[in-house]
Amino acid sequence: MSIKNVVLVGADGNLGPGVLQGLVETGAFNVTVFKRKSSKSKSNYPEGVQVKLLSDDFPIDELIPALQNQDAVISTVYGAQVDLQKRLADAAVKAGVQRFIPSDFGSCDSQSKRAMELAPIYVAKSQVRDYLEKLAKENSGFSWTSLVCGHFFDWDLGFFHINLEAKTFEILDDGDVYWSTSTFAQIGKATAAILQKPDETKNRFAYIQSFRINQNQLLKAFEKETGQSWNVKNYDSSDYVKERKAKADDGDKSAVEDLVWVLGTLEADWEARDGYVNDLLGLQQENLDEVVARIVKNN
Ligand SMILES: NC(=O)c1ccc[n+]([C@@H]2O[C@H](COP(=O)([O-])OP(=O)(O)OC[C@H]3O[C@@H](n4cnc5c(N)ncnc54)[C@H](OP(=O)(O)O)[C@@H]3O)[C@@H](O)[C@H]2O)c1
């Protein structure tokens, strides 16, 4: 199996640009971005990237011909878009596409029962993956890989409950639980590497990281970089989860994000996992202090 022609759907979101960059950097792929005709995003892509505009609802009768001669489809759309991804997968099978990478890219493991209980987005991700598993069983030429990266590290400090301006930092329990987390660049490299090792990455989860840290180490890195001591607030994670879950059940979206923060901080240590593939994919660990310095500079 060899993958050369790759379609990316969702190139303009938070994650999409990093994945696009990772693909282009290898020089190994012909990349086409699929997007809606009404899309307002800029299509400001690296040289050589093709764009295919489709009707807004991505109908299957347009997708099948558009996917002819493509080897892989990567979805980085918002992860709860189940129907869209199922339709893309159906069209991919019909067009003879070999690999589908769904929009998993989770802060935590979307297979986890607790993740599904706390945050509905993981139910949606699991529904897409179950569907891909079924398609792969029925069609020997078709396969999938789900990439699980931990929290996006260089995305949104607020999501980590870090306030750079006020120098405040919120810590769950004692802050000593280790978790895996990845930069956009690392996720892009990993996605490209999966497609370059299609046999080894077939029909499986791939867990990756830029580094494995705990919250105390992260706090120290920010204190070191800013040359100041920060104010810390500690939460008991069980009480916190109980309180945020009640709010989430009442429709509070920020409470859902807080629950995802907890899951990715307390239940996301990939190094000991069976599917941990940093070495297989040739990914280097990144340097925490260097990445934190870059984040502080850019914020
Ligand atoms: N691990 C973490 O910390 C973390 C954090 C956030 C997200 N995630 C996950 O990462 C993945 C990507 O999330 P994201 O935040 O990057 O998503 P996002 O910003 O919401 O992605 C939007 C992208 O999807 C495209 N899109 C949206 N609806 C579409 C449709 N109906 N048809 C075609 N294209 C459509 C948009 O196109 P236009 O711009 O053209 O409208 C845009 O390119 C998700 O699975 C999400 O759950 C993980």
Side-chain angles (χ1 to χ4, degrees):
M1 189 191 290
S2 155
I3 290 177
K4 181 85 188 150
N5 299 327
V6 178
V7 166
L8 176 62
V9 186
D12 298 277
N14 296 302
L15 173 64
V19 168
L20 186 58
Q21 188 61 29
L23 293 169
V24 170
E25 259 170 24
T26 63
F29 305 111
N30 301 316
V31 184
T32 306
V33 169
F34 278 14
K35 61 197 294 180
R36 293 168 290 180
K37 278 183 184 148
S38 72
S39 172
K40 298 278 184 295
S41 54
K42 292 229 160 58
S43 298
N44 202 2
Y45 308 132
E47 207 184 313
V49 172
Q50 310 279 313
V51 177
K52 173 84 186 162
L53 295 176
L54 295 157
S55 298
D56 280 12
D57 54 351
F58 270 43
I60 192 147
D61 59 343
E62 279 184 40
L63 283 171
I64 297 169
L67 287 171
Q68 293 296 327
N69 300 318
Q70 296 294 342
D71 302 312
V73 172
I74 303 166
S75 165
T76 55
V77 298
Y78 177 59
Q81 283 171 293
V82 176
D83 290 345
L84 169 65
Q85 294 190 81
K86 282 185 172 176
R87 204 159 55 249
L88 269 167
D90 283 334
V93 167
K94 292 215 163 71
V97 169
Q98 302 169 52
R99 178 63 49 89
F100 195 100
I101 300 183
S103 198
D104 200 313
F105 304 101
S107 288
C108 66
D109 186 345
S110 59
Q111 297 175 101
S112 138
K113 221 174 136 209
R114 182 164 147 89
M116 287 193 249
E117 274 162 17
L118 292 183
I121 191 158
Y122 297 110
V123 176
K125 286 173 195 256
S126 292
Q127 285 170 348
V128 173
R129 197 183 45 262
D130 289 348
Y131 194 67
L132 295 174
E133 279 178 7
K134 176 180 160 295
L135 288 179
K137 274 193 193 123
E138 291 166 358
N139 301 277
S140 58
F142 179 78
S143 54
W144 58 274
T145 313
S146 276
L147 179 55
V148 187
C149 48
H151 285 321
F152 293 170
F153 189 76
D154 47 355
W155 178 42
D156 178 1
L157 288 179
F159 181 71
F160 284 118
H161 293 225
I162 295 173
N163 187 325
L164 183 58
E165 205 175 271
K167 310 279 179 301
T168 58
F169 199 106
E170 295 181 8
I171 285 188
L172 295 162
D173 303 323
D174 295 328
D176 55 2
V177 173
Y178 282 88
W179 40 289
S180 300
T181 172
S182 302
T183 61
F184 288 124
Q186 186 81 326
I187 301 167
K189 282 193 179 91
T191 308
I194 284 170
L195 299 183
Q196 290 178 303
K197 297 214 164 180
D199 295 319
E200 297 89 331
T201 57
K202 188 176 172 178
N203 298 331
R204 62 178 287 193
F205 277 88
Y207 297 87
I208 63 139
Q209 66 185 21
S210 286
F211 25 68
R212 175 179 179 266
I213 53 173
N214 64 38
Q215 286 190 289
N216 294 326
Q217 290 174 325
L218 186 54
L219 170 64
K220 261 199 204 132
F222 274 95
E223 290 189 327
K224 185 173 158 201
E225 184 54 33
T226 56
Q228 279 175 268
S229 150
W230 286 39
N231 289 316
V232 176
K233 180 169 182 183
N234 286 81
Y235 290 102
D236 175 285
S237 64
S238 330
D239 293 346
Y240 185 79
V241 166
K242 229 177 270 161
E243 188 260 330
R244 300 315 276 163
K245 178 74 171 90
K247 288 213 161 104
D249 289 345
D250 282 344
D252 181 338
K253 287 200 176 121
S254 75
V256 178
E257 282 190 10
D258 290 339
L259 292 168
V260 173
W261 170 58
V262 173
L263 287 163
T265 306
L266 299 182
E267 299 185 20
D269 182 358
W270 307 147
E271 274 188 18
R273 293 264 173 147
D274 220 12
Y276 177 64
V277 290
N278 265 45
D279 291 342
L280 172 71
L281 299 182
L283 301 173
Q284 306 294 320
Q285 301 285 323
E286 294 190 74
N287 181 293
L288 175 63
D289 287 340
E290 282 173 18
V291 181
V292 166
R294 177 161 53 84
I295 289 172
V296 169
K297 194 170 157 225
N298 293 339
N299 266 272

